[in-house]
Amino acid sequence: MATIQQIDYGTPKSTSEKMVNLTIDGVKVAVPEGTSIMRAAMEMGTQIPKLCASDMMEAFGSCRLCLVEIQGRNGTPASCTTPVAEGMVVHTQTDRLKRLRKGVMELYISEHPLDCLTCSANGDCELQDMAGAVGLREVRYGYDGQRHPNPGIDASNPYFTYEPSKCIVCSRCVRACEEVQGTFALTIAGRGFDSVVSPSQQQPFIDSECVSCGACVQACPTATLNEKRTIEIGTPEHERITTCAYCGVGCAFKAEMRGEELVRMVPWKDGKANRGHSCVKGRFAFGYATHRDRILKPMIRAKITDPWREVSWDEAINYTASEFKRIQAKYGRASVGGITSSRCTNEETFLVQKLVRAGFGNNNVDTCARVCHSPTGYGLKTTYGTSAGTQDFDSVEHSDVIMIIGANPTDGHPVFASRMKRRLRQGAKLIILDPRRIDLVRTPHIEADYHLPLKPGTNVAVVTSLAHVVVTEGLVNEAFVRERCDWDEFQDWAAFVSLPRHSPEEVEKVSGVPAEAIRGAARLYAKGGNGAIYYGLGVTEHSQGSTTVMAIANLAMATGNIGRQGVGVNPLRGQNNVQGSCDMGSFPHEVSGYRHVSEDATRAMFESLWGRPLDSEPGLRIPNMIDAALDGSFKGIYIQGEDILQSDPNTQHMAAGLAAMECVVVQDLFLIETANYAHVFLPGSTFLEKDGTFTNAERRIQPVRRVMSPLNGFEDWQITQMLSNALGFPMNYTHPSEIMDEIARLTPTFAGVSYKKLDELGSVQWPCNEAAPEGTPIMHINGFVRGKGKFVITEYVATDEKTGPRYPLLLTTGRILSQYNVGAQTRRTDNVIWHEEDVLEIHPHDAEQRGIRDGDWIKVASRAGETTLRAQITERVAPGVVYTTFHHPTTQVNVVTTEFSDWATNCPEYKVTAVQVSPSNGPSEWQEEYEELTRQSRRIAERLVAAE
Ligand code: SF4
Ligand code: SF4
Ligand code: SF4
Ligand code: FES
């Protein structure tokens, strides 16, 4: 493995199609109009010295190192800020230029500390490189000149330090924070020689508005901003490209290593999802991979009340296989099932569902998408014919109006949010439908044109009302609808949405959104140019989740906002591979590529390759498995990388179901909450320890590459393979690429995917097949996958979960930037500094009525259960609505969520729970018991580590 060089071209690539011809150092070149001279030279291989320029940001022109001479022009302009012109003749290396550049470098070096040999950036410092590039051999002003202000090293951020004495005030960090990240946390304070980089109001980084994305650290050409791990370990010596294992954005990274130690994760500029950017989780929060809590040896126990017994892999696998065989012999073929992981690779997910369908001989397989985006699959397949988003992320750069529904991109999908914010700063309009005032409603240089703070549970009413305005005010794109959609269905739908009960004035009564705001938002979306919709779990996790997805799809079709750049309907998917786990056939009714198990021809294809008959009846979903366990007919489950006890609703019900089973097998990194009910624990591997692929929210299949040996001895797919072999269903893969070849053979939308292609192209978006050998960035360009687009009637039905005198408030849930899902990974990193506990956001009015002060312990009770956490009083939530996150198991917010779920897919209604909030003295009894259980698990883990 070698070092992968990434050239910094100094300024961003121009997208112009018009070419300009010029001559640089006697060589004729042609580049797109708008290209800087610096970039034109770099592209032909001539490196002009530079310090303040970087191709991640617009040119700034402050260091004066990149000077060039242009024939016929006076002076020596900066090549980074000077665009090319037709016929221009440029010289980059003349005696005059050499003299000037040396002079500039002399000034920089005369005031820079000369501790290069011990500096953490040694060998990775652009200032050092430039001194060499300009041939600096002496400094006429000496080395003991006055230094810039040096307030001392700021090490307050857990991941990087700021050492002002090394700053050359190039402003790259400030511009990275503004242009790449869009947070505007940094400024240059002071003037002239006293200039210094200042986080917020000259505060420590940790107290500033900084969100620790690391863009400034990456941009800094010196060691002024430097990662603590690099300081501690030294500079890396080899690297591999891989994909972040946190969220559905799917950022590509260079994993930079020293031996088998990961030094740092550097966002990969050629990564098509992230374009060189990242968030705090992907860049810094990988410490969980080597955390002492990781369980590395298999364990078994006959009863869940017994202590764990550490055993060999052979014993664990044979015990599991014999238990599943025993259970099936006693209770029948359908008495066992499996759950695939949206954190594992496509290949691993595919194997788990293969094991269930062919090894277990039933279709009892499900995935965590059940509790997040299953309504997306249902809704988009019904209306458009494909269970996935329509665009690539680049598309947002062509959007004129962006509508965000039930999503909080700056916390949930931060890197895509940064791209979106850039487009908004360029002037795109913004509409937000959310009960909560998310950051994007108002953030530096961005203000939503419309924020529709709808009452939780009224999405269908409001989106249908937007359609009402579009239809009744004559804003339908009739040409598009006539050509692309079923016209009869459209007419039925148009008549339906036009009914007076869908008017904004009527809908205001149920949703609380002012009618004028609904009208204004609808007009803006329909008339504002390219309209793009992005939505999240605030749409899907409702009893009408699938209906809302179809209402959104209807709206986009009616306005012609489908099938080209800048438009579309895009679910922002949560987990890194939730799209992939759905694609791979993790649902009980569908094999890979979303084909129903009842299709004879499809089943025949699988049966002939796998040599086993497949069941034509859909199997059990997660909630059905739990119900069946309580009924006594479901007795064994194989759960790979999913903490269903913590992430699924109605915790007590889930716990009772798990406790009723005879063999619960958990394959995971840590003793997660579900493991409290497990009989077998199989240690899993992290994304750093395996090869495979993840598929992100834009259907992009990206490589995951093994950079270190699995600490547990095996990649997750190997464990599934061992189990399958022990069960008597042979699997003999030697590498995940062979699993992908099988997926491609069995799945028409993946027919053209192979590891060779991924190595060549970096990534590819499905469908990828003969018709689209390099993949499909944008779907439905010439027609919908299903043929004609289908308009579906979307009748609003109020949820059965209603507020009343006993439970007068509506609880809704979400996530925050620094934590991820149930927190199993991020809680085991320094990210805990930003979120030590889950809190309940409550409006000042509701808090005052209940005598609750900021920071007080409070009890949240629903008809399902109660939990205790601290209050945070804020106007981010409207009166009558409370909000919390679910990153910490001790709060177990799912104790209060109910069993209501989406009518079509069973996706739980996490976003609406009627609750009462009252003052409390502290954690409740079960929370203290829970704490004790966690302490016990920790002790076991420590004992096992010590025994090694
Ligand atoms: S880490 Fe990111 S948010 Fe923080 S100052 Fe740097 S660029 Fe800005
Ligand atoms: S901290 Fe680094 S990037 Fe920022 S101004 Fe100083 S040298 Fe430039
Ligand atoms: S945005 Fe998502 S994929 Fe990208 S670095 Fe952050 S967590 Fe990882
Ligand atoms: S790189 Fe052009 S002025 Fe600094």
Side-chain angles (χ1 to χ4, degrees):
M1 283 185 278
T3 306
I4 302 162
Q5 287 301 333
Q6 279 224 284
I7 298 169
D8 188 322
Y9 293 93
T11 58
K13 195 176 176 60
S14 163
T15 52
S16 171
E17 285 175 7
K18 186 173 169 204
M19 298 302 278
V20 170
N21 299 290
L22 71 159
T23 306
I24 301 176
D25 294 338
V27 179
K28 289 190 184 315
V29 289
V31 292
E33 189 176 37
T35 304
S36 68
I37 293 175
M38 171 178 280
R39 183 157 187 131
M42 293 280 192
E43 284 182 357
M44 63 175 252
T46 299
Q47 298 197 6
I48 299 176
K50 65 180 179 60
L51 275 173
C52 69
S54 160
D55 57 12
M56 292 291 287
M57 303 157 246
E58 294 303 322
F60 191 57
S62 73
C63 74
R64 312 304 294 169
L65 200 60
C66 68
L67 311 177
V68 290
E69 290 187 60
I70 301 172
Q71 264 180 31
R73 289 200 201 174
N74 291 333
T76 51
S79 63
C80 62
T81 50
T82 310
V84 295
E86 188 63 35
M88 187 181 253
V89 177
V90 179
H91 300 284
T92 70
Q93 194 72 349
T94 65
D95 287 345
R96 182 185 177 202
L97 292 173
K98 283 188 228 169
R99 209 172 46 249
L100 286 169
R101 287 181 193 146
K102 263 190 198 168
V104 171
M105 281 309 295
E106 271 186 281
L107 288 169
Y108 274 120
I109 297 298
S110 72
E111 59 174 48
H112 196 80
L114 289 180
D115 57 355
C116 294
L117 286 183
T118 51
C119 176
S120 55
N122 193 12
D124 189 17
C125 169
E126 290 181 43
L127 189 67
Q128 211 176 45
D129 294 346
M130 289 307 116
V134 304
L136 188 72
R137 297 291 171 257
E138 59 172 346
V139 174
R140 284 168 291 165
Y141 318 111
Y143 300 103
D144 51 2
Q146 201 188 343
R147 300 274 179 260
H148 283 288
N150 184 6
I153 297 176
D154 173 1
S156 61
N157 185 288
Y159 298 115
F160 59 85
T161 57
Y162 168 48
E163 192 175 346
S165 66
K166 294 188 170 165
C167 179
I168 59 169
V169 203
C170 64
S171 288
R172 272 164 67 162
C173 55
V174 178
R175 289 179 287 133
C177 192
E178 292 175 4
E179 296 175 32
V180 180
Q181 165 57 23
T183 291
F184 294 79
L186 301 177
T187 50
I188 302 285
R191 305 184 64 171
F193 196 78
D194 293 331
S195 305
V196 64
V197 173
S198 156
S200 297
Q201 308 301 314
Q202 295 193 271
Q203 292 161 296
F205 266 87
I206 200 69
D207 299 332
S208 71
E209 282 129 29
C210 167
V211 293
S212 290
C213 71
C216 57
V217 183
Q218 191 177 339
C220 182
T222 65
T224 314
L225 288 162
N226 207 355
E227 291 191 31
K228 286 182 176 174
R229 281 181 71 84
T230 315
I231 296 171
E232 184 195 316
I233 302 170
T235 46
E237 44 84 19
H238 71 267
E239 52 204 18
R240 292 199 84 184
I241 306 297
T242 191
T243 304
C244 178
Y246 277 117
C247 86
V249 175
C251 297
F253 281 89
K254 278 191 296 176
E256 298 194 343
M257 315 287 298
R258 273 211 154 261
E260 287 229 321
E261 184 165 27
L262 179 56
V263 179
R264 64 188 176 199
M265 294 285 273
V266 178
W268 177 235
K269 276 198 284 189
D270 290 346
K272 296 189 179 83
N274 56 322
R275 307 275 178 202
H277 189 36
S278 76
C279 81
V280 60
K281 296 189 287 293
R283 193 189 297 252
F284 295 125
F286 49 80
Y288 70 88
T290 48
H291 194 277
R292 64 196 172 115
D293 282 1
R294 257 189 85 177
I295 304 292
L296 302 175
K297 296 274 167 58
M299 301 186 295
I300 60 177
R301 56 185 176 184
K303 296 201 294 291
I304 58 170
T305 45
D306 290 348
W308 282 111
R309 188 163 63 84
E310 196 181 290
V311 295
S312 67
W313 273 102
D314 276 350
E315 187 176 347
I317 294 291
N318 289 334
Y319 176 79
T320 309
S322 68
E323 277 295 278
F324 277 117
K325 282 184 193 161
R326 178 186 67 76
I327 290 169
Q328 284 193 299
K330 187 169 172 191
Y331 301 101
R333 200 162 43 113
S335 59
V336 296
I339 295 180
T340 70
S341 173
S342 292
R343 297 208 296 274
C344 286
T345 62
N346 285 317
E347 294 75 3
E348 288 165 343
T349 305
F350 185 81
L351 277 208
V352 172
Q353 64 91 37
K354 177 175 177 176
L355 170 68
V356 172
R357 295 188 203 279
F360 293 171
N362 63 47
N363 287 319
N364 294 338
V365 62
D366 208 356
T367 179
C368 71
R370 171 71 49 222
V371 297
C372 64
H373 268 288
S374 48
T376 289
Y378 181 90
L380 293 186
K381 185 158 188 195
T382 305
T383 48
Y384 298 165
T386 302
S387 301
T390 62
Q391 310 297 114
D392 60 1
F393 289 150
D394 286 350
S395 165
V396 78
E397 285 161 22
H398 304 269
S399 298
D400 301 307
V401 181
I402 296 170
M403 188 185 301
I404 302 171
I405 311 179
N408 186 3
T410 51
D411 283 61
H413 301 83
V415 165
F416 179 64
S418 291
R419 299 185 69 178
M420 193 184 256
K421 284 198 281 187
R422 188 173 345 173
R423 182 64 190 151
L424 291 165
R425 289 196 302 275
Q426 288 166 353
K429 303 289 183 196
L430 178 62
I431 300 166
I432 294 175
L433 276 70
D434 202 293
R436 200 163 153 261
R437 198 158 49 76
I438 59 170
D439 280 349
L440 279 172
V441 171
R442 189 154 193 219
T443 193
H445 302 275
I446 291 168
E447 183 151 13
D449 296 84
Y450 292 96
H451 173 212
L452 277 47
L454 72 184
K455 196 171 129 199
T458 60
N459 286 333
V460 172
V462 175
V463 180
T464 305
S465 190
L466 292 172
H468 173 96
V469 178
V470 169
V471 172
T472 55
E473 296 192 8
L475 305 178
V476 169
N477 184 337
E478 193 178 321
F480 178 93
V481 176
R482 279 189 181 277
E483 187 195 333
R484 303 282 302 272
C485 307
D486 186 305
W487 182 249
D488 291 339
E489 282 169 350
F490 165 75
Q491 284 179 307
D492 292 345
W493 172 81
F496 165 76
V497 299
S498 302
L499 295 171
R501 67 172 190 271
H502 301 306
S503 71
E505 291 68 26
E506 285 303 309
V507 168
E508 177 175 347
K509 294 174 193 161
V510 288
S511 68
V513 182
E516 265 321 293
I518 297 177
R519 285 197 182 277
R523 289 170 191 149
L524 178 58
Y525 174 70
K527 296 199 290 190
N530 285 340
I533 299 178
Y534 294 88
Y535 70 88
L537 303 182
V539 159
T540 54
E541 290 178 343
H542 287 276
S543 59
Q544 281 203 292
S546 294
T547 315
T548 310
V549 173
M550 293 188 287
I552 290 170
N554 291 338
L555 187 65
M557 282 191 291
T559 51
N561 278 314
I562 283 287
R564 63 179 190 279
Q565 287 268 31
V567 298
V569 174
N570 300 285
L572 292 174
R573 312 211 60 157
Q575 303 213 55
N576 55 324
N577 200 34
V578 65
Q579 179 70 55
S581 74
C582 299
D583 301 342
M584 292 298 101
S586 292
F587 289 129
H589 64 294
E590 285 170 338
V591 290
S592 59
Y594 304 98
R595 289 158 301 158
H596 204 277
V597 290
S598 62
E599 291 171 19
D600 293 340
T602 301
R603 259 194 350 275
M605 198 198 293
F606 282 81
E607 285 169 343
S608 91
L609 195 68
W610 291 352
R612 291 279 173 107
L614 298 193
D615 196 340
S616 61
E617 288 293 319
L620 300 175
R621 298 170 173 181
I622 295 172
N624 309 132
M625 292 183 204
I626 297 305
D627 291 345
L630 289 167
D631 288 349
S633 60
F634 189 85
K635 293 288 185 181
I637 191 165
Y638 170 45
I639 306 170
Q640 186 180 75
E642 181 62 21
D643 195 355
I644 54 173
L645 185 64
Q646 201 186 339
S647 61
D648 285 47
N650 204 338
T651 308
Q652 297 95 318
H653 184 70
M654 179 63 73
L658 288 167
M661 296 186 205
E662 294 179 10
C663 187
V664 173
V665 181
V666 166
Q667 182 173 326
D668 217 296
L669 302 176
F670 307 106
L671 276 174
I672 53 170
E673 311 317 312
T674 310
N676 288 325
Y677 294 84
H679 304 84
V680 180
F681 185 89
L682 303 174
S685 50
T686 68
F687 78 113
L688 297 167
E689 301 161 323
K690 59 174 77 160
D691 284 318
T693 56
F694 292 151
T695 306
N696 76 352
E698 36 162 21
R699 294 170 278 105
R700 188 180 299 286
I701 306 156
Q702 309 197 89
V704 176
R705 294 195 174 94
R706 174 167 158 160
V707 296
M708 56 177 73
S709 309
L711 297 178
N712 60 337
F714 296 101
E715 301 180 24
D716 285 300
W717 64 271
Q718 292 175 305
I719 299 166
T720 308
Q721 175 159 294
M722 288 191 289
L723 182 56
S724 189
N725 286 330
L727 277 161
F729 177 54
M731 291 185 186
N732 299 299
Y733 306 100
T734 59
H735 189 266
S737 62
E738 296 164 12
I739 307 174
M740 180 53 84
D741 291 343
E742 183 172 319
I743 295 165
R745 222 168 127 188
L746 289 169
T747 318
T749 43
F750 275 65
V753 181
S754 66
Y755 277 34
K756 184 166 170 285
K757 183 168 282 179
L758 291 173
D759 283 343
E760 282 164 13
L761 300 181
S763 65
V764 68
Q765 285 171 274
W766 66 258
C768 172
N769 45 30
E770 215 171 38
E774 300 212 340
T776 312
I778 295 181
M779 307 242 355
H780 316 299
I781 288 184
N782 296 315
F784 287 99
V785 169
R786 73 179 299 279
K788 291 284 186 189
K790 182 179 179 64
F791 280 89
V792 177
I793 303 289
T794 55
E795 188 73 70
Y796 166 63
V797 181
T799 168
D800 286 339
E801 182 67 7
K802 299 217 172 28
T803 54
R806 226 170 133 205
Y807 302 114
L809 302 171
L810 282 178
L811 169 72
T812 186
T813 58
R815 64 172 67 164
I816 64 154
L817 170 67
S818 59
Q819 293 295 319
Y820 175 70
N821 208 347
V822 296
Q825 292 146 288
T826 40
R827 278 187 286 110
R828 292 179 171 96
T829 70
D830 289 337
N831 278 25
V832 285
I833 199 170
W834 291 288
H835 189 75
E836 287 174 342
E837 58 184 342
D838 294 319
V839 296
L840 187 89
E841 290 186 5
I842 183 167
H843 189 272
H845 173 74
D846 294 326
E848 195 188 337
Q849 271 191 339
R850 291 163 176 77
I852 293 168
R853 288 160 308 171
D854 202 51
D856 279 357
W857 280 102
I858 43 140
K859 186 173 85 178
V860 184
S862 75
R863 61 183 174 75
E866 61 183 53
T867 187
T868 313
L869 62 175
R870 286 183 201 274
Q872 186 177 77
I873 298 176
T874 171
E875 290 186 358
R876 285 171 80 101
V877 287
V881 176
V882 288
Y883 167 88
T884 189
T885 48
F886 52 91
H887 301 305
H888 287 267
T890 39
T891 32
Q892 292 259 2
V893 77
N894 285 330
V895 165
V896 298
T897 51
T898 67
E899 74 288 2
F900 286 138
S901 62
D902 175 43
W903 61 272
T905 64
N906 268 160
C907 180
E909 192 172 40
Y910 285 135
K911 301 295 179 187
V912 194
T913 309
V915 294
Q916 177 57 294
V917 174
S918 53
S920 154
N921 292 329
S924 60
E925 208 175 304
W926 74 259
Q927 282 171 299
E928 280 176 354
E929 276 169 19
Y930 179 81
E931 283 282 0
E932 179 50 32
L933 253 180
T934 309
R935 277 193 290 274
Q936 279 174 18
S937 300
R938 174 68 62 95
R939 280 199 291 274
I940 293 167
E942 281 170 0
R943 214 188 56 234
L944 292 177
V945 170
E948 263 180 38

Coordinates of all heavy atoms in Angstrom, one line a residue, residues 244-251 253 274 277-283 412-416, ligand 3:
C244 N -17.2 6.1 4.9 CA -17.6 6.3 6.3 C -18.7 5.4 6.6 O -19.6 5.0 5.8 CB -18.1 7.8 6.4 SG -18.7 8.1 8.1
A245 N -18.6 4.9 7.9 CA -19.6 3.9 8.3 C -20.7 4.5 9.2 O -21.4 3.8 9.9 CB -18.9 2.8 9.1
Y246 N -20.8 5.8 9.2 CA -21.9 6.4 10.0 C -23.2 6.7 9.2 O -24.0 5.8 9.1 CB -21.4 7.7 10.7 CG -20.6 7.5 11.9 CD1 -19.3 7.8 12.0 CD2 -21.2 6.9 13.0 CE1 -18.6 7.6 13.2 CE2 -20.5 6.6 14.2 CZ -19.2 7.0 14.3 OH -18.5 6.8 15.4
C247 N -23.3 7.8 8.5 CA -24.7 8.1 8.0 C -24.8 7.9 6.5 O -23.8 7.5 5.8 CB -25.1 9.6 8.3 SG -24.5 10.8 7.2
G248 N -26.0 8.1 6.0 CA -26.3 7.7 4.6 C -25.7 8.7 3.6 O -26.0 8.5 2.4
V249 N -25.0 9.7 4.0 CA -24.3 10.6 3.0 C -23.2 9.7 2.3 O -23.1 9.8 1.1 CB -23.7 11.8 3.7 CG1 -22.9 12.6 2.6 CG2 -24.8 12.7 4.3
G250 N -22.5 8.9 3.1 CA -21.5 8.1 2.5 C -20.2 8.8 2.0 O -19.8 8.7 0.9
C251 N -19.6 9.5 3.0 CA -18.4 10.3 2.6 C -17.2 9.3 2.4 O -17.0 8.4 3.1 CB -18.1 11.2 3.7 SG -19.3 12.5 4.0
F253 N -13.2 8.6 2.3 CA -12.1 9.0 3.1 C -10.8 8.3 2.6 O -10.9 7.2 2.2 CB -12.3 8.7 4.6 CG -13.2 9.6 5.3 CD1 -14.6 9.3 5.3 CD2 -12.7 10.7 6.0 CE1 -15.4 10.2 6.0 CE2 -13.6 11.5 6.7 CZ -14.9 11.3 6.7
N274 N -19.1 13.4 -1.1 CA -18.7 14.4 -0.2 C -17.8 15.4 -0.8 O -17.6 16.5 -0.2 CB -18.1 13.8 1.1 CG -16.9 12.9 0.8 OD1 -16.9 12.1 -0.2 ND2 -15.9 12.9 1.6
H277 N -15.2 16.8 1.8 CA -15.6 17.3 3.1 C -16.1 16.2 4.0 O -16.3 15.1 3.5 CB -16.7 18.4 2.8 CG -17.1 19.1 4.1 ND1 -16.1 19.5 5.0 CD2 -18.3 19.6 4.6 CE1 -16.7 20.1 6.0 NE2 -18.0 20.2 5.7
S278 N -16.3 16.5 5.2 CA -16.7 15.5 6.2 C -17.4 16.1 7.4 O -17.3 17.4 7.5 CB -15.6 14.6 6.7 OG -14.8 15.3 7.6
C279 N -17.9 15.3 8.3 CA -18.4 15.9 9.6 C -17.5 15.3 10.7 O -16.7 14.5 10.5 CB -19.9 15.6 9.8 SG -20.2 14.0 10.4
V280 N -17.8 15.7 11.9 CA -17.1 15.3 13.1 C -17.1 13.8 13.2 O -16.1 13.2 13.7 CB -17.6 16.1 14.3 CG1 -19.0 15.7 14.6 CG2 -16.8 15.7 15.6
K281 N -18.1 13.2 12.9 CA -18.2 11.7 13.1 C -17.2 11.0 12.2 O -16.4 10.2 12.7 CB -19.6 11.2 12.9 CG -20.6 11.8 13.9 CD -22.0 11.2 13.9 CE -22.8 11.5 12.7 NZ -23.2 12.9 12.5
G282 N -17.4 11.2 10.9 CA -16.6 10.4 10.0 C -15.1 10.7 10.1 O -14.2 9.9 10.0
R283 N -14.8 12.0 10.3 CA -13.4 12.4 10.4 C -12.7 12.0 11.7 O -11.5 11.6 11.7 CB -13.2 13.9 10.2 CG -11.8 14.3 9.8 CD -11.6 15.8 9.8 NE -12.3 16.5 8.8 CZ -11.8 17.1 7.7 NH1 -10.5 16.9 7.5 NH2 -12.5 17.7 6.9
G412 N -28.3 15.5 11.0 CA -28.4 14.1 10.5 C -27.6 13.8 9.3 O -27.1 12.7 9.2
H413 N -27.4 14.8 8.4 CA -26.7 14.5 7.1 C -25.8 15.7 6.8 O -25.9 16.4 5.9 CB -27.7 14.3 6.0 CG -28.6 13.2 6.2 ND1 -29.7 13.3 7.0 CD2 -28.5 11.9 5.9 CE1 -30.3 12.1 7.1 NE2 -29.6 11.2 6.5
P414 N -24.8 16.0 7.7 CA -24.2 17.3 7.8 C -23.4 17.6 6.5 O -23.3 18.8 6.1 CB -23.2 17.2 9.0 CG -23.2 15.7 9.4 CD -24.4 15.1 8.9
V415 N -22.8 16.7 5.9 CA -22.0 17.0 4.7 C -22.9 17.4 3.5 O -22.6 18.4 2.8 CB -21.0 15.9 4.3 CG1 -20.4 16.1 2.9 CG2 -19.9 15.8 5.4
F416 N -24.0 16.7 3.4 CA -24.9 17.1 2.4 C -25.5 18.5 2.7 O -25.7 19.3 1.9 CB -26.0 16.1 2.1 CG -27.0 16.5 1.1 CD1 -26.6 16.7 -0.2 CD2 -28.3 16.9 1.4 CE1 -27.5 17.2 -1.2 CE2 -29.2 17.3 0.5 CZ -28.8 17.5 -0.8
Ligands
SF4_3 S1 -21.8 13.2 6.8 FE1 -22.3 11.1 7.3 S2 -21.0 9.9 5.9 FE2 -20.2 12.0 6.0 S3 -18.5 12.0 7.5 FE3 -20.4 12.6 8.5 S4 -21.3 10.7 9.3 FE4 -19.8 10.1 7.8

